[in-house]
Amino acid sequence: MSHVRVRFAPSPTGTLHVGGARTALFNWLYARNQQGIFILRIEDTDQERSTVESHAQILRSLRWLGLDWDEGPEMGGAFGPYVQSERRAIYAQYAQRLLDEGLGYHCYCAPDELAQRRAEAMAQGRPPGYDRRCRTLTDEQRRRFEAEGRAPVLRARMPDEGVTKWTDLVHGETEFQNTVLDDWVALKSDGFPTYNFGAVVDDGLMEISHVLRGDDHISNTPRQIVLFKAFGFRAPKFGHLPMILGPDRQRLSKRHGAASAEEFRDAGFLPQALVNYLALLGWSPGDNREVFTTEQLIKAFSLKRLNNTAAVFDLEKAKHINAEHMKLLPTSAKVELAWPILLARGLAHEGDEAARIRLGRVIEIMGNRFSNLGDIPTHLACYFTEDYSVDPQGASVLDEAARERVHMLAAAYQKLPVFTAKIAEGVLRELATNLQVDAGDLIHPARYALSGRTVGPSLFAAMEVLGQKTVVARLRRPKVS
RNA sequence: GUCCCCAUCGUCUAGCCAGGCCUAGGACACCACCCUUUCAAGGUGGGUACACGGGUUCGAAUCCCGUUGGGGACACCA
């Protein structure tokens, strides 16, 4: 029985970001690899920014990626509740302990006062942290602040000397001088815990064994360790994962294009492909494998193979991994995925069996030409409707002379009593010979006339699917736009 | 400004911990060729990297120090 208990603890203030998805994935992979427990905890202590929509969206994104949790929202568990706003009584209890044991104190400094003092400190080259002014308040001063109507925050008292260290799972020995740890806010004036406080209480109570999170949390870690010790919790092991950056080496964000799991889904990515690509950002199997099913990832995953260098998100590589996963899919699976897309685009209707069978044939002859589900409507529309789009870039293949040849082909096809791929090919080649042109001079224009594309399946297979009538009609009057 | 993290092809990375097997391997992208009725796929080949400077050592991509560069944190945000 494994003692691994890991968690993903997003705050519901936006979509599930690529960085968050990667963090969730690594925790999940570790839990599954170790037969441990993966916990989802929602950190909604910021009343201003947390939304129920975001909460729902994050859950949806995790499910889409296939990252299922063993304890958490909509699931429950022995360590709940798993939503921080429902745990306020617990935080109040631990806040009281801080007060009782002299590990915390009320602070009445107003935000604007703090901001000003911080700016001054930075200007003078001093550490910008809290100046500990309220550490030594007299009862008299306290009463005066209360009378002014100031609502206090609770600050956690950090040690004045010594060092706090831990062995980071990815960085190794890491230490901070305690003097750089300022007395941070544990409980806000609205009574909600801050991130650092809520995380310590919850990780302690939920018996979290390993915390895998982004590098941007390194400086929070010593502050949290001090509290873990103060409360007598066994501190989890910490691992700080390298950041994911945009092509400009800045933190990845919406400016860089798709940055949330949902956007990748909408762009036609397969969830298992995104998972695969994300796993390769900050982790490697050590051999030269790159294409993994999620099951294979679980088997291969190891904390030892985490790396510590920030990684630039490469959309091209992500697309490539997606294409590899598309190749792995049997036709039947592609049909399952493509069918709803066709329905959504109005290219077919629920219960239209003929269309569904046709879809299977088209996908079959398309072979590996799909690298993305998003390609489906543009590439397949011409098999289901006359209202398909034409690629203007390819129009040059259908010039005046080509148009004439295509018309002759239409005439030849019209007379055919039976129309199959083989027969269509024979007729076309014979015509090419008679016209003394290369078969390609007939094939390329014909493809464009039939599909509006220069890219597509074998022409004759496509003709067979389209059927004689449609082929003849389109060859006679090719769409121009 | 203070503290922290990082540094191998354009990008993701292997190699680093236990120095020699590295004239540095793989992948994406790019280029060329092959296959082919097109594109894609596939095949073959190609160019491109150990940031810099010192040390330690018989020997350093690998260990140490410094420099430079990049990133992060410094909120009653998480």
Side-chain angles (χ1 to χ4, degrees):
Chain A
M1 189 56 191
S2 160
H3 294 104
V4 169
R5 289 177 58 82
V6 292
R7 47 65 162 186
F8 176 55
S11 64
T13 55
T15 57
L16 179 66
H17 242 250
V18 163
R22 200 272 312 257
T23 299
L25 173 63
F26 281 21
N27 279 284
W28 182 84
L29 285 173
Y30 187 54
R32 293 294 171 259
N33 175 273
Q34 296 288 308
Q35 271 106 38
I37 301 295
F38 177 64
I39 297 157
L40 177 62
R41 184 173 74 221
I42 301 296
E43 308 212 327
D44 60 343
T45 58
D46 185 339
Q47 290 295 285
E48 302 273 293
R49 299 194 301 156
S50 297
T51 67
V52 294
E53 297 80 53
S54 168
H55 176 129
Q57 193 185 28
I58 288 170
L59 265 54
R60 208 183 315 132
S61 290
L62 289 170
R63 286 190 171 117
W64 176 68
L65 287 168
L67 309 183
D68 56 330
W69 52 98
D70 307 303
E71 296 175 22
E74 300 181 7
M75 169 75 55
F79 298 80
Y82 295 91
V83 176
Q84 288 190 324
S85 58
E86 295 169 18
R87 300 172 63 81
R88 292 181 68 184
I90 299 170
Y91 305 125
Q93 197 182 319
Y94 279 85
Q96 190 58 47
R97 267 188 69 182
L98 238 37
L99 243 20
D100 292 347
E101 294 167 31
L103 299 162
Y105 57 90
H106 287 304
C107 166
Y108 295 85
C109 297
D112 55 325
E113 294 167 349
L114 291 168
Q116 193 190 337
R117 269 145 52 196
R118 193 179 307 124
E120 281 169 18
M122 278 169 97
Q124 290 169 27
R126 286 183 288 121
Y130 180 61
D131 58 15
R132 301 175 171 179
R133 181 168 301 199
C134 291
R135 257 197 193 188
T136 55
L137 249 32
T138 63
D139 288 347
E140 172 57 33
Q141 288 170 309
R142 225 183 301 275
R143 262 196 301 279
R144 213 171 51 229
F145 282 138
E146 298 277 1
E148 282 176 27
R150 294 188 184 226
V153 299
L154 174 69
R155 284 189 185 272
R157 187 178 183 129
M158 293 290 109
D160 296 323
E161 52 185 23
V163 296
T164 296
K165 49 178 131 183
W166 74 95
T167 304
D168 196 274
L169 266 6
V170 350
H171 297 290
E173 297 300 316
T174 308
E175 62 172 59
F176 280 76
Q177 294 295 323
N178 288 337
T179 48
V180 307
L181 271 29
D182 65 344
D183 291 348
W184 47 277
V185 174
L187 229 46
K188 306 184 234 179
S189 56
D190 65 3
F192 277 87
T194 58
Y195 166 70
N196 277 320
F197 191 64
V200 169
V201 171
D202 290 349
D203 287 342
L205 255 20
M206 292 179 183
E207 297 176 16
I208 299 302
S209 62
H210 299 70
V211 171
L212 301 177
R213 61 182 12 164
D215 257 351
D216 50 339
H217 285 295
I218 288 185
S219 59
N220 286 321
T221 303
R223 297 165 215 271
Q224 295 187 359
I225 287 175
V226 169
L227 266 214
F228 274 111
K229 285 185 185 158
F231 288 143
F233 289 132
R234 194 175 45 120
K237 290 186 175 11
F238 293 92
H240 292 92
L241 308 169
M243 301 273 87
I244 298 177
L245 312 175
D248 56 359
R249 301 217 129 256
Q250 296 297 116
R251 224 187 162 121
L252 189 69
S253 72
K254 37 258 149 261
R255 324 184 264 107
H256 298 108
S260 69
E262 210 137 275
E263 287 171 291
F264 281 91
R265 183 200 61 194
D266 295 344
F269 274 78
L270 259 14
Q272 62 270 36
L274 220 212
V275 158
N276 187 163
Y277 178 67
L278 254 20
L280 264 16
L281 254 30
W283 173 85
S284 78
D287 49 36
N288 286 331
R289 286 180 299 164
E290 289 199 315
V291 180
F292 288 84
T293 63
T294 304
E295 276 309 308
Q296 291 169 330
L297 238 25
I298 290 172
K299 211 164 278 167
F301 190 78
S302 151
L303 260 26
K304 288 201 181 69
R305 299 215 51 91
L306 254 24
N307 78 17
N308 58 3
T309 318
V312 173
F313 189 96
D314 183 357
L315 186 60
E316 288 308 315
K317 180 102 179 206
K319 284 180 181 167
H320 167 78
I321 296 288
N322 193 62
E324 293 296 324
H325 280 271
M326 287 293 287
K327 284 186 209 164
L328 254 27
L329 254 29
T331 300
S332 60
K334 288 186 196 169
V335 169
E336 287 306 314
L337 291 166
W339 184 243
I341 296 173
L342 251 44
L343 294 180
R345 296 292 181 115
L347 296 172
H349 299 284
E350 197 79 62
D352 183 347
E353 270 317 299
R356 209 179 151 98
I357 288 165
R358 167 172 288 217
L359 174 62
R361 293 180 67 193
V362 175
I363 284 182
E364 189 71 52
I365 63 173
M366 281 296 285
N368 286 335
R369 288 175 183 82
F370 288 129
S371 59
N372 190 295
L373 291 174
D375 295 342
I376 285 177
T378 44
H379 281 91
L380 297 199
C382 66
Y383 298 96
F384 296 90
T385 176
E386 290 305 318
D387 185 26
Y388 55 91
S389 70
V390 168
D391 176 13
Q393 301 267 294
S396 59
V397 300
L398 196 58
D399 57 17
E400 217 30 61
R403 202 170 281 260
E404 222 166 283
R405 292 196 291 274
V406 160
H407 285 163
M408 291 163 93
L409 186 62
Y413 281 164
Q414 189 181 22
K415 289 182 271 185
L416 260 24
V418 184
F419 192 74
T420 64
K422 210 179 171 97
I423 292 167
E425 178 167 7
V427 169
L428 182 143
R429 288 189 188 282
E430 197 187 329
L431 179 61
T433 306
N434 293 342
L435 258 29
Q436 294 187 305
V437 296
D438 286 341
D441 292 334
L442 219 34
I443 286 165
H444 302 308
R447 168 174 292 104
Y448 190 74
L450 290 176
S451 65
R453 318 257 125 212
T454 54
V455 178
S458 164
L459 179 66
F460 308 109
M463 283 179 169
E464 188 173 305
V465 172
L466 250 15
Q468 185 171 20
K469 221 176 111 189
T470 302
V471 168
V472 170
R474 289 187 187 173
L475 290 178
R476 283 209 169 121
R477 281 180 305 281
K479 291 183 76 152
V480 279
S481 62

